[in-house]
Amino acid sequence: MQIPVVVQTVGLLALSNVFMTVAWYGHLKNLSSKPWWIAAIISWSIALFEYLLQVPANRIGYTELSLAQLKIMQEAITLTVFVPFAMIYMNQPFKLDYVWAGLCLVGAVYFIFRT
């Protein structure tokens, strides 16, 4: 049984986004008392796993999706990963702006994927 290209791409991009979100923002909570270069080294170490998932995701996705479709998909997934991370891990309050941003991305997805 072959997993569809879009499913493989979305799955890999979602996992890569988890790593990248932690790499970009996790240090703000856990390493705020450390020098910036320690946070950078740790973040780069985490980001390595993001790239190990993101590069194959884009290569697989590009077999059936356009470059623009891959980019908009990435942005939509990024917001889907970021909002729970911000609220659960970083203890940020929910903002209605997340809904508006999400609706804008739904519009972007519609326009980039319409045929």
Side-chain angles (χ1 to χ4, degrees):
M1 178 174 89
Q2 179 69 11
I3 300 172
V5 165
V6 172
V7 174
Q8 291 179 55
T9 303
V10 168
L12 288 168
L13 287 176
L15 288 172
S16 76
N17 261 279
V18 170
F19 282 104
M20 194 49 128
T21 301
V22 171
W24 280 19
Y25 304 109
H27 65 89
L28 298 174
K29 180 176 181 178
N30 298 322
L31 301 171
S32 60
S33 63
K34 303 287 185 198
W36 73 266
W37 58 271
I38 291 176
I41 290 170
I42 292 171
S43 292
W44 289 338
S45 299
I46 295 168
L48 170 65
F49 294 101
E50 186 269 342
Y51 280 101
L52 291 174
L53 296 167
Q54 177 266 340
V55 171
N58 283 331
R59 284 181 173 235
I60 291 167
Y62 197 60
T63 64
E64 291 185 10
L65 301 167
S66 71
L67 186 63
Q69 288 172 328
L70 282 170
K71 181 59 181 171
I72 295 301
M73 182 185 298
Q74 170 71 27
E75 296 303 327
I77 291 168
T78 296
L79 185 62
T80 304
V81 169
F82 176 77
V83 172
F85 173 85
M87 293 174 58
I88 295 166
Y89 187 76
M90 298 295 289
N91 298 314
Q92 297 290 307
F94 176 79
K95 294 182 178 184
L96 198 53
D97 291 343
Y98 295 150
V99 175
W100 305 133
L103 289 173
C104 288
L105 283 172
V106 167
V109 168
Y110 168 76
F111 286 112
I112 211 71
F113 279 90
R114 69 183 172 154
T115 53

